[in-house]
Amino acid sequence: MKVRTVGYYFQEALTSLRRNGLMALASVGTVAVALLILGGALLTVLNANNIMKSVENELLISVYLQEGVDETAIGDLEQQINDTPGVAKSRFISKEESLEKLRQQFGETKGSLEFSRNPLPDSFEVNAEKSNLVKGIADKIRGLSGVEKVNYPAEVVQKLSTLVEWVRLIGAVIIILLALAAVFLISTTIRLTVFARRREIGIMKFLGATNWFIRWPFVLEGVFLGLAGALVSGLILYFVNFYIVEAVKQFPFMRVQTDMKDVYIILGSLLGGGIFIGAIGSVISVRKFLQV
Amino acid sequence: MKVRTVGYYFQEALTSLRRNGLMALASVGTVAVALLILGGALLTVLNANNIMKSVENELLISVYLQEGVDETAIGDLEQQINDTPGVAKSRFISKEESLEKLRQQFGETKGSLEFSRNPLPDSFEVNAEKSNLVKGIADKIRGLSGVEKVNYPAEVVQKLSTLVEWVRLIGAVIIILLALAAVFLISTTIRLTVFARRREIGIMKFLGATNWFIRWPFVLEGVFLGLAGALVSGLILYFVNFYIVEAVKQFPFMRVQTDMKDVYIILGSLLGGGIFIGAIGSVISVRKFLQV
Amino acid sequence: MIQMYNVSMIYPNGVKALTDVSLHVRKGDFIFLVGPSGAGKSTLTKLIFREELPTRGQIMVNGINIARMKDKEVPYLRRKIGVIFQDFRLLPNKSVYDNVAFALEVAEASSKEIKKLVPAVLKLVGLTNKADMLPTELSGGEQQRVSIARAIINNPIMIIADEPTGNLDPETSWEIMNLLVEINKLGTTIIMATHAKDIVDGLKKRVIAIENGRVVRDEQKGAYGYES
Amino acid sequence: MIQMYNVSMIYPNGVKALTDVSLHVRKGDFIFLVGPSGAGKSTLTKLIFREELPTRGQIMVNGINIARMKDKEVPYLRRKIGVIFQDFRLLPNKSVYDNVAFALEVAEASSKEIKKLVPAVLKLVGLTNKADMLPTELSGGEQQRVSIARAIINNPIMIIADEPTGNLDPETSWEIMNLLVEINKLGTTIIMATHAKDIVDGLKKRVIAIENGRVVRDEQKGAYGYES
Ligand SMILES: Nc1ncnc2c1ncn2[C@@H]1O[C@H](COP(=O)(O)OP(=O)(O)OP(=O)(O)O)[C@@H](O)[C@H]1O
Ligand SMILES: Nc1ncnc2c1ncn2[C@@H]1O[C@H](COP(=O)(O)OP(=O)(O)OP(=O)(O)O)[C@@H](O)[C@H]1O
Ligand SMILES: [Mg+2]
Ligand SMILES: [Mg+2]
């Protein structure tokens, strides 16, 4: 392949893009829209996943201790709790602290919550690593000596853990479907572009052009289309994601810790995907008309 | 327009669909994918909206009363609360009831929560109609005589009301964008289909065909494509929505009350939209090539 | 039937295809348009059925000023004119039968009429056994004959033929010419651009010679070249 | 140069285009293929540059069996054969210059060579001032000449011309024929399907007549019709 011929390929691809202006625009638009939707879904799932994680972290197991457990026993218990598999962290709350909380809850009028002696127990707040581990942990801790009662938002926890699984599953399915849809849309567009030029391809063959001689300009055209579409969608997604994440960050129960690395990976894949689909789409679409 | 000619239009449209099999399939696929994504988004927003509503309903304003307010005063107060604009409903909770709840919360060991006299106040639980009304209602009730303290999940309420607005806004924006994308994809496909047959259109004109004579088969073809695509996407959405709603219904804090009427309206619009876009897309795409 | 007054045609790319052409064609005329390649013969025919609009000058066809005609009326003009195109212009997705029937379809003819006329015309051009084939499955001459069949089926008041025998052997060419002469005898005006010296010389009809976009000769009972 | 042994060609739709054709073409031959419309002339030429594969029989071109040829080798065969197609087959989106240059481009000729050869060949066919136009902006005869220019530019060992003068006036036709005769004198084999009686009778070359898919006559220094 001579350098001059490579030059020819590029020139051909660019000329064709210019000549088929409308169709090129349509293709870029389709690629952009397809990748936009796909990328949007990916980012949404990424962010939703992060939100889910932060919600999971809020789920607390309350461990109430028996009356009269002494300090060393409490220390032991803390050790045991932290050693329980699946526990992320734990915090000791003394009975005094609990009473203070209760007081705050029911207004500040003195007297309404004055007891002869503090009737509340000491307790631990335990965080689980994952929501579906909560029940197991609670059961284990219940068996420890010195523990009076273990409370956790039982139904909510179970349901939430199922929900999280579901969201992840549905998210994955939706993303796979959207990826397929994107590939389909892009390859359809390229196929139609090639279809409109099937006669030309035949003529080239009859003039002694090799298959790759015919393919290269189409492949480059596909790559340009894919690249342009991916860039457009990438830029839009980048800024939309940025603004949405900023907006959502205001909500305390949505402490989104979106790692920008993940975002870059997604945008990079879109770019690579666009180029790849453009090139492959061209090769496949041209193939049918090369059989002469 | 003779009956015979109408027959000709249909025959032409069907023949063309058959002859351009691959392209027709591609178009149907594109329409289906576009409407699928759009419809999916619509249903998601519909369901999310319903979930939001049910979450909103859970937001309670706790109104604690002063010591020694008598029954008639309580009745008055209830009346006044219910008359406050924006209040959806209210429920009286006696101090005994409150204590019972507290007891349940901290284990069942007798003795740990036995008081000389019940230190808890009487209270009301008040539901607001909308989350952004909560603060106003709370402020109003705070001024009523006999009220000791009004509690509401202040920050959460404010943030939630903003979030709900946001979700609705973003949802609307996303749906409009997706609708535009769907229109764009479908009309692009049809334009490419027509583009591949531009020569034919010119020839017909030279043979003395009127513009509508040329247009009708394309319009019908567009309608068939749109219809087929809409049916495919409609069916998929119907079943996916069904399963997801069923699955989500298991979660108590997601009491989705999706009105099937809304779903049918969405599916109906998809169908109508598909047909409309198919027809309009054809008319617009053909127009350019009719200028001979 | 056709009056042209000082017609000039300059294509958008600047090519002067016709310069100051004036012509009168009477109903029932049989005219050969001759001239070298690129002289402007096809352009002249294209002006008549309004494929192109003249840059300057007036054209009356059948009493109607073509430049002032409304877009909506154009199809009705075209239906009255049968055109045999130099590049055939067959509909690639329609069979031979459907291509020919299309000219009737366009004019909303009855299905009975179509079923009667199409086979008859196909027989005239010798394509009865190719009725179900697609244009791409035909030889060059066969495609040309389909285009001839399509042009004559509508019983037009005028036939414009752009080199209708370019891809035909002499024998078939003469059959087609005899057919056109017959049709002409029934009153149809015929304008035929051609390079076939034998035919022009043999039929002795009116000859209009074009060179470089100008009418250089207009003779009754003329020949292809100058009588020398 | 070409040997055909008992070649038959039946198209997928069942049309028997060629039946049992045997032929020998020597290097440097100048052959006219004549016969009525639909006889099988174009089909015969299509077999030589492998646009179609024969249903039966063997074809050797330049010593290579065409049926056994690998798909990868086909382009290199085609580059050695210049083809003037009956339907021109110009690339619609390329200018006249680029259409002609394409034949060199395909063979990866140097840019210097292209810049030298293309204008020279365009001059030969009289299209120098149309170099920048698109095929749709040309008259029928001009398109035909572009296709001729493209066929001869590559200095092919053989030229296949399918009615190369069908859209040309007699004068231009003779110019093109003289060009082909010159090229033939330099050793290029020429096979030309034609209906132009004048030309065939005038040049007195080898004539192969085909009728109904069979070779019915093969004469050195022959004429268009049977000598009568
Ligand atoms: N669509 C077009 N755009 C620009 N120029 C054109 C167009 N069609 C024809 N021409 C130019 O106008 C001139 C006359 O063309 P026309 O087709 O009328 O010639 P012709 O007499 O029919 O020739 P031929 O015998 O080769 O068919 C030519 O020089 C041609 O290049
Ligand atoms: N692609 C095809 N598919 C089916 N049949 C074909 C195809 N091409 C040609 N034929 C048929 O094969 C026969 C020979 O065709 P061919 O093109 O070889 O004729 P020809 O001698 O070149 O005629 P002409 O002088 O009209 O160009 C014709 O009957 C034609 O209908
Ligand atoms: Mg012409
Ligand atoms: Mg032929």
Side-chain angles (χ1 to χ4, degrees), chain A residues 161-189:
Chain A
S161 75
T162 329
L163 180 67
V164 169
E165 300 286 285
W166 264 89
V167 165
R168 283 196 183 126
L169 189 75
I170 293 175
V173 169
I174 288 177
I175 281 181
I176 289 171
L177 289 180
L178 282 177
L180 288 178
V183 171
F184 175 79
L185 288 178
I186 294 170
S187 69
T188 297
T189 312

PDB file of all heavy atoms in Angstrom, chain A residues 161-189:
ATOM      1  N   SER A 161     -32.130  -4.758  50.423  1.00  0.00           N
ATOM      2  CA  SER A 161     -31.056  -5.534  49.815  1.00  0.00           C
ATOM      3  C   SER A 161     -31.558  -6.173  48.521  1.00  0.00           C
ATOM      4  O   SER A 161     -30.854  -6.211  47.518  1.00  0.00           O
ATOM      5  CB  SER A 161     -30.527  -6.584  50.782  1.00  0.00           C
ATOM      6  OG  SER A 161     -31.430  -7.643  50.884  1.00  0.00           O
ATOM      7  N   THR A 162     -32.802  -6.621  48.529  1.00  0.00           N
ATOM      8  CA  THR A 162     -33.353  -7.176  47.284  1.00  0.00           C
ATOM      9  C   THR A 162     -33.439  -6.083  46.229  1.00  0.00           C
ATOM     10  O   THR A 162     -33.071  -6.287  45.075  1.00  0.00           O
ATOM     11  CB  THR A 162     -34.773  -7.729  47.523  1.00  0.00           C
ATOM     12  OG1 THR A 162     -34.861  -8.199  48.852  1.00  0.00           O
ATOM     13  CG2 THR A 162     -35.086  -8.841  46.546  1.00  0.00           C
ATOM     14  N   LEU A 163     -33.905  -4.921  46.685  1.00  0.00           N
ATOM     15  CA  LEU A 163     -34.073  -3.825  45.732  1.00  0.00           C
ATOM     16  C   LEU A 163     -32.744  -3.460  45.069  1.00  0.00           C
ATOM     17  O   LEU A 163     -32.667  -3.288  43.856  1.00  0.00           O
ATOM     18  CB  LEU A 163     -34.648  -2.591  46.450  1.00  0.00           C
ATOM     19  CG  LEU A 163     -34.863  -1.380  45.537  1.00  0.00           C
ATOM     20  CD1 LEU A 163     -35.952  -1.649  44.537  1.00  0.00           C
ATOM     21  CD2 LEU A 163     -35.152  -0.128  46.340  1.00  0.00           C
ATOM     22  N   VAL A 164     -31.709  -3.376  45.906  1.00  0.00           N
ATOM     23  CA  VAL A 164     -30.407  -3.021  45.363  1.00  0.00           C
ATOM     24  C   VAL A 164     -29.973  -4.044  44.317  1.00  0.00           C
ATOM     25  O   VAL A 164     -29.527  -3.690  43.227  1.00  0.00           O
ATOM     26  CB  VAL A 164     -29.363  -2.918  46.490  1.00  0.00           C
ATOM     27  CG1 VAL A 164     -27.971  -2.805  45.902  1.00  0.00           C
ATOM     28  CG2 VAL A 164     -29.665  -1.710  47.351  1.00  0.00           C
ATOM     29  N   GLU A 165     -30.144  -5.303  44.656  1.00  0.00           N
ATOM     30  CA  GLU A 165     -29.802  -6.343  43.680  1.00  0.00           C
ATOM     31  C   GLU A 165     -30.579  -6.127  42.384  1.00  0.00           C
ATOM     32  O   GLU A 165     -30.053  -6.196  41.284  1.00  0.00           O
ATOM     33  CB  GLU A 165     -30.166  -7.729  44.230  1.00  0.00           C
ATOM     34  CG  GLU A 165     -29.460  -8.082  45.514  1.00  0.00           C
ATOM     35  CD  GLU A 165     -28.000  -8.424  45.282  1.00  0.00           C
ATOM     36  OE1 GLU A 165     -27.721  -9.523  44.777  1.00  0.00           O
ATOM     37  OE2 GLU A 165     -27.131  -7.557  45.583  1.00  0.00           O
ATOM     38  N   TRP A 166     -31.852  -5.856  42.559  1.00  0.00           N
ATOM     39  CA  TRP A 166     -32.735  -5.661  41.409  1.00  0.00           C
ATOM     40  C   TRP A 166     -32.279  -4.487  40.562  1.00  0.00           C
ATOM     41  O   TRP A 166     -32.188  -4.561  39.351  1.00  0.00           O
ATOM     42  CB  TRP A 166     -34.176  -5.412  41.875  1.00  0.00           C
ATOM     43  CG  TRP A 166     -34.986  -6.650  41.857  1.00  0.00           C
ATOM     44  CD1 TRP A 166     -35.115  -7.549  42.861  1.00  0.00           C
ATOM     45  CD2 TRP A 166     -35.763  -7.128  40.764  1.00  0.00           C
ATOM     46  NE1 TRP A 166     -35.923  -8.565  42.464  1.00  0.00           N
ATOM     47  CE2 TRP A 166     -36.342  -8.338  41.180  1.00  0.00           C
ATOM     48  CE3 TRP A 166     -36.030  -6.649  39.487  1.00  0.00           C
ATOM     49  CZ2 TRP A 166     -37.160  -9.087  40.353  1.00  0.00           C
ATOM     50  CZ3 TRP A 166     -36.853  -7.392  38.665  1.00  0.00           C
ATOM     51  CH2 TRP A 166     -37.399  -8.594  39.092  1.00  0.00           C
ATOM     52  N   VAL A 167     -32.018  -3.376  41.261  1.00  0.00           N
ATOM     53  CA  VAL A 167     -31.611  -2.180  40.525  1.00  0.00           C
ATOM     54  C   VAL A 167     -30.352  -2.485  39.731  1.00  0.00           C
ATOM     55  O   VAL A 167     -30.228  -2.122  38.563  1.00  0.00           O
ATOM     56  CB  VAL A 167     -31.376  -0.993  41.478  1.00  0.00           C
ATOM     57  CG1 VAL A 167     -30.617   0.127  40.772  1.00  0.00           C
ATOM     58  CG2 VAL A 167     -32.701  -0.483  41.993  1.00  0.00           C
ATOM     59  N   ARG A 168     -29.418  -3.185  40.353  1.00  0.00           N
ATOM     60  CA  ARG A 168     -28.183  -3.515  39.646  1.00  0.00           C
ATOM     61  C   ARG A 168     -28.478  -4.405  38.448  1.00  0.00           C
ATOM     62  O   ARG A 168     -27.963  -4.189  37.352  1.00  0.00           O
ATOM     63  CB  ARG A 168     -27.215  -4.216  40.596  1.00  0.00           C
ATOM     64  CG  ARG A 168     -26.586  -3.189  41.503  1.00  0.00           C
ATOM     65  CD  ARG A 168     -25.341  -3.703  42.202  1.00  0.00           C
ATOM     66  NE  ARG A 168     -24.887  -2.639  43.095  1.00  0.00           N
ATOM     67  CZ  ARG A 168     -24.662  -2.807  44.395  1.00  0.00           C
ATOM     68  NH1 ARG A 168     -24.826  -3.990  44.963  1.00  0.00           N
ATOM     69  NH2 ARG A 168     -24.262  -1.774  45.121  1.00  0.00           N
ATOM     70  N   LEU A 169     -29.313  -5.398  38.664  1.00  0.00           N
ATOM     71  CA  LEU A 169     -29.639  -6.332  37.593  1.00  0.00           C
ATOM     72  C   LEU A 169     -30.341  -5.609  36.447  1.00  0.00           C
ATOM     73  O   LEU A 169     -29.924  -5.681  35.290  1.00  0.00           O
ATOM     74  CB  LEU A 169     -30.555  -7.435  38.129  1.00  0.00           C
ATOM     75  CG  LEU A 169     -30.787  -8.589  37.165  1.00  0.00           C
ATOM     76  CD1 LEU A 169     -29.550  -9.463  37.120  1.00  0.00           C
ATOM     77  CD2 LEU A 169     -31.995  -9.410  37.576  1.00  0.00           C
ATOM     78  N   ILE A 170     -31.401  -4.861  36.795  1.00  0.00           N
ATOM     79  CA  ILE A 170     -32.158  -4.150  35.763  1.00  0.00           C
ATOM     80  C   ILE A 170     -31.264  -3.150  35.054  1.00  0.00           C
ATOM     81  O   ILE A 170     -31.277  -3.024  33.833  1.00  0.00           O
ATOM     82  CB  ILE A 170     -33.389  -3.440  36.383  1.00  0.00           C
ATOM     83  CG1 ILE A 170     -34.380  -4.492  36.877  1.00  0.00           C
ATOM     84  CG2 ILE A 170     -34.048  -2.530  35.358  1.00  0.00           C
ATOM     85  CD1 ILE A 170     -35.565  -3.912  37.608  1.00  0.00           C
ATOM     86  N   GLY A 171     -30.437  -2.463  35.859  1.00  0.00           N
ATOM     87  CA  GLY A 171     -29.500  -1.509  35.269  1.00  0.00           C
ATOM     88  C   GLY A 171     -28.610  -2.198  34.247  1.00  0.00           C
ATOM     89  O   GLY A 171     -28.446  -1.718  33.128  1.00  0.00           O
ATOM     90  N   ALA A 172     -28.066  -3.350  34.625  1.00  0.00           N
ATOM     91  CA  ALA A 172     -27.179  -4.071  33.709  1.00  0.00           C
ATOM     92  C   ALA A 172     -27.931  -4.471  32.445  1.00  0.00           C
ATOM     93  O   ALA A 172     -27.457  -4.279  31.319  1.00  0.00           O
ATOM     94  CB  ALA A 172     -26.613  -5.306  34.400  1.00  0.00           C
ATOM     95  N   VAL A 173     -29.153  -5.012  32.647  1.00  0.00           N
ATOM     96  CA  VAL A 173     -29.944  -5.436  31.489  1.00  0.00           C
ATOM     97  C   VAL A 173     -30.232  -4.250  30.572  1.00  0.00           C
ATOM     98  O   VAL A 173     -30.033  -4.312  29.358  1.00  0.00           O
ATOM     99  CB  VAL A 173     -31.270  -6.084  31.945  1.00  0.00           C
ATOM    100  CG1 VAL A 173     -32.207  -6.274  30.764  1.00  0.00           C
ATOM    101  CG2 VAL A 173     -30.987  -7.406  32.630  1.00  0.00           C
ATOM    102  N   ILE A 174     -30.659  -3.131  31.179  1.00  0.00           N
ATOM    103  CA  ILE A 174     -30.987  -1.953  30.383  1.00  0.00           C
ATOM    104  C   ILE A 174     -29.766  -1.486  29.610  1.00  0.00           C
ATOM    105  O   ILE A 174     -29.837  -1.159  28.425  1.00  0.00           O
ATOM    106  CB  ILE A 174     -31.519  -0.812  31.285  1.00  0.00           C
ATOM    107  CG1 ILE A 174     -32.930  -1.166  31.763  1.00  0.00           C
ATOM    108  CG2 ILE A 174     -31.532   0.508  30.532  1.00  0.00           C
ATOM    109  CD1 ILE A 174     -33.518  -0.155  32.712  1.00  0.00           C
ATOM    110  N   ILE A 175     -28.618  -1.509  30.265  1.00  0.00           N
ATOM    111  CA  ILE A 175     -27.414  -1.025  29.596  1.00  0.00           C
ATOM    112  C   ILE A 175     -27.029  -1.945  28.443  1.00  0.00           C
ATOM    113  O   ILE A 175     -26.660  -1.497  27.356  1.00  0.00           O
ATOM    114  CB  ILE A 175     -26.269  -0.868  30.599  1.00  0.00           C
ATOM    115  CG1 ILE A 175     -26.501   0.438  31.346  1.00  0.00           C
ATOM    116  CG2 ILE A 175     -24.930  -0.845  29.904  1.00  0.00           C
ATOM    117  CD1 ILE A 175     -25.471   0.746  32.349  1.00  0.00           C
ATOM    118  N   ILE A 176     -27.154  -3.231  28.658  1.00  0.00           N
ATOM    119  CA  ILE A 176     -26.839  -4.166  27.569  1.00  0.00           C
ATOM    120  C   ILE A 176     -27.792  -3.928  26.404  1.00  0.00           C
ATOM    121  O   ILE A 176     -27.388  -3.848  25.240  1.00  0.00           O
ATOM    122  CB  ILE A 176     -26.911  -5.625  28.064  1.00  0.00           C
ATOM    123  CG1 ILE A 176     -25.725  -5.887  28.996  1.00  0.00           C
ATOM    124  CG2 ILE A 176     -26.903  -6.594  26.891  1.00  0.00           C
ATOM    125  CD1 ILE A 176     -25.786  -7.208  29.707  1.00  0.00           C
ATOM    126  N   LEU A 177     -29.086  -3.769  26.739  1.00  0.00           N
ATOM    127  CA  LEU A 177     -30.059  -3.530  25.673  1.00  0.00           C
ATOM    128  C   LEU A 177     -29.752  -2.233  24.932  1.00  0.00           C
ATOM    129  O   LEU A 177     -29.780  -2.179  23.705  1.00  0.00           O
ATOM    130  CB  LEU A 177     -31.477  -3.469  26.252  1.00  0.00           C
ATOM    131  CG  LEU A 177     -32.030  -4.808  26.739  1.00  0.00           C
ATOM    132  CD1 LEU A 177     -33.429  -4.635  27.298  1.00  0.00           C
ATOM    133  CD2 LEU A 177     -32.042  -5.822  25.605  1.00  0.00           C
ATOM    134  N   LEU A 178     -29.437  -1.188  25.693  1.00  0.00           N
ATOM    135  CA  LEU A 178     -29.146   0.089  25.052  1.00  0.00           C
ATOM    136  C   LEU A 178     -27.888  -0.010  24.204  1.00  0.00           C
ATOM    137  O   LEU A 178     -27.817   0.578  23.121  1.00  0.00           O
ATOM    138  CB  LEU A 178     -28.984   1.188  26.099  1.00  0.00           C
ATOM    139  CG  LEU A 178     -30.290   1.728  26.683  1.00  0.00           C
ATOM    140  CD1 LEU A 178     -30.006   2.755  27.750  1.00  0.00           C
ATOM    141  CD2 LEU A 178     -31.147   2.327  25.583  1.00  0.00           C
ATOM    142  N   ALA A 179     -26.901  -0.760  24.690  1.00  0.00           N
ATOM    143  CA  ALA A 179     -25.680  -0.934  23.905  1.00  0.00           C
ATOM    144  C   ALA A 179     -26.024  -1.617  22.592  1.00  0.00           C
ATOM    145  O   ALA A 179     -25.576  -1.213  21.511  1.00  0.00           O
ATOM    146  CB  ALA A 179     -24.661  -1.744  24.686  1.00  0.00           C
ATOM    147  N   LEU A 180     -26.855  -2.662  22.680  1.00  0.00           N
ATOM    148  CA  LEU A 180     -27.270  -3.355  21.456  1.00  0.00           C
ATOM    149  C   LEU A 180     -28.017  -2.388  20.541  1.00  0.00           C
ATOM    150  O   LEU A 180     -27.783  -2.341  19.336  1.00  0.00           O
ATOM    151  CB  LEU A 180     -28.159  -4.553  21.793  1.00  0.00           C
ATOM    152  CG  LEU A 180     -27.429  -5.734  22.428  1.00  0.00           C
ATOM    153  CD1 LEU A 180     -28.413  -6.850  22.760  1.00  0.00           C
ATOM    154  CD2 LEU A 180     -26.355  -6.247  21.480  1.00  0.00           C
ATOM    155  N   ALA A 181     -28.903  -1.596  21.149  1.00  0.00           N
ATOM    156  CA  ALA A 181     -29.671  -0.644  20.347  1.00  0.00           C
ATOM    157  C   ALA A 181     -28.737   0.343  19.662  1.00  0.00           C
ATOM    158  O   ALA A 181     -28.899   0.654  18.478  1.00  0.00           O
ATOM    159  CB  ALA A 181     -30.674   0.101  21.224  1.00  0.00           C
ATOM    160  N   ALA A 182     -27.729   0.811  20.402  1.00  0.00           N
ATOM    161  CA  ALA A 182     -26.790   1.775  19.821  1.00  0.00           C
ATOM    162  C   ALA A 182     -26.059   1.147  18.638  1.00  0.00           C
ATOM    163  O   ALA A 182     -25.968   1.735  17.554  1.00  0.00           O
ATOM    164  CB  ALA A 182     -25.799   2.248  20.877  1.00  0.00           C
ATOM    165  N   VAL A 183     -25.552  -0.065  18.853  1.00  0.00           N
ATOM    166  CA  VAL A 183     -24.858  -0.750  17.759  1.00  0.00           C
ATOM    167  C   VAL A 183     -25.790  -0.905  16.570  1.00  0.00           C
ATOM    168  O   VAL A 183     -25.423  -0.648  15.421  1.00  0.00           O
ATOM    169  CB  VAL A 183     -24.361  -2.142  18.228  1.00  0.00           C
ATOM    170  CG1 VAL A 183     -23.840  -2.939  17.050  1.00  0.00           C
ATOM    171  CG2 VAL A 183     -23.278  -1.975  19.275  1.00  0.00           C
ATOM    172  N   PHE A 184     -27.020  -1.287  16.855  1.00  0.00           N
ATOM    173  CA  PHE A 184     -27.997  -1.481  15.792  1.00  0.00           C
ATOM    174  C   PHE A 184     -28.249  -0.190  15.021  1.00  0.00           C
ATOM    175  O   PHE A 184     -28.201  -0.164  13.790  1.00  0.00           O
ATOM    176  CB  PHE A 184     -29.305  -1.992  16.406  1.00  0.00           C
ATOM    177  CG  PHE A 184     -30.428  -2.108  15.430  1.00  0.00           C
ATOM    178  CD1 PHE A 184     -30.501  -3.189  14.583  1.00  0.00           C
ATOM    179  CD2 PHE A 184     -31.397  -1.125  15.357  1.00  0.00           C
ATOM    180  CE1 PHE A 184     -31.518  -3.288  13.675  1.00  0.00           C
ATOM    181  CE2 PHE A 184     -32.419  -1.211  14.443  1.00  0.00           C
ATOM    182  CZ  PHE A 184     -32.484  -2.303  13.604  1.00  0.00           C
ATOM    183  N   LEU A 185     -28.484   0.887  15.748  1.00  0.00           N
ATOM    184  CA  LEU A 185     -28.786   2.161  15.100  1.00  0.00           C
ATOM    185  C   LEU A 185     -27.624   2.612  14.232  1.00  0.00           C
ATOM    186  O   LEU A 185     -27.796   3.007  13.074  1.00  0.00           O
ATOM    187  CB  LEU A 185     -29.080   3.239  16.146  1.00  0.00           C
ATOM    188  CG  LEU A 185     -30.405   3.124  16.876  1.00  0.00           C
ATOM    189  CD1 LEU A 185     -30.532   4.215  17.915  1.00  0.00           C
ATOM    190  CD2 LEU A 185     -31.548   3.199  15.879  1.00  0.00           C
ATOM    191  N   ILE A 186     -26.434   2.537  14.797  1.00  0.00           N
ATOM    192  CA  ILE A 186     -25.273   3.031  14.062  1.00  0.00           C
ATOM    193  C   ILE A 186     -25.027   2.182  12.820  1.00  0.00           C
ATOM    194  O   ILE A 186     -24.819   2.696  11.725  1.00  0.00           O
ATOM    195  CB  ILE A 186     -24.046   3.051  14.985  1.00  0.00           C
ATOM    196  CG1 ILE A 186     -24.272   4.071  16.096  1.00  0.00           C
ATOM    197  CG2 ILE A 186     -22.789   3.382  14.198  1.00  0.00           C
ATOM    198  CD1 ILE A 186     -23.245   4.020  17.189  1.00  0.00           C
ATOM    199  N   SER A 187     -25.093   0.862  12.994  1.00  0.00           N
ATOM    200  CA  SER A 187     -24.785   0.015  11.839  1.00  0.00           C
ATOM    201  C   SER A 187     -25.877   0.138  10.778  1.00  0.00           C
ATOM    202  O   SER A 187     -25.608   0.077   9.582  1.00  0.00           O
ATOM    203  CB  SER A 187     -24.584  -1.434  12.265  1.00  0.00           C
ATOM    204  OG  SER A 187     -25.797  -1.982  12.676  1.00  0.00           O
ATOM    205  N   THR A 188     -27.118   0.368  11.224  1.00  0.00           N
ATOM    206  CA  THR A 188     -28.192   0.591  10.260  1.00  0.00           C
ATOM    207  C   THR A 188     -27.923   1.837   9.427  1.00  0.00           C
ATOM    208  O   THR A 188     -28.045   1.821   8.201  1.00  0.00           O
ATOM    209  CB  THR A 188     -29.541   0.782  10.979  1.00  0.00           C
ATOM    210  OG1 THR A 188     -29.844  -0.406  11.677  1.00  0.00           O
ATOM    211  CG2 THR A 188     -30.642   1.074   9.980  1.00  0.00           C
ATOM    212  N   THR A 189     -27.538   2.895  10.116  1.00  0.00           N
ATOM    213  CA  THR A 189     -27.269   4.141   9.400  1.00  0.00           C
ATOM    214  C   THR A 189     -26.172   3.936   8.367  1.00  0.00           C
ATOM    215  O   THR A 189     -26.302   4.342   7.215  1.00  0.00           O
ATOM    216  CB  THR A 189     -26.825   5.224  10.392  1.00  0.00           C
ATOM    217  OG1 THR A 189     -27.735   5.228  11.465  1.00  0.00           O
ATOM    218  CG2 THR A 189     -26.799   6.575   9.719  1.00  0.00           C
TER     219      THR A 189
END
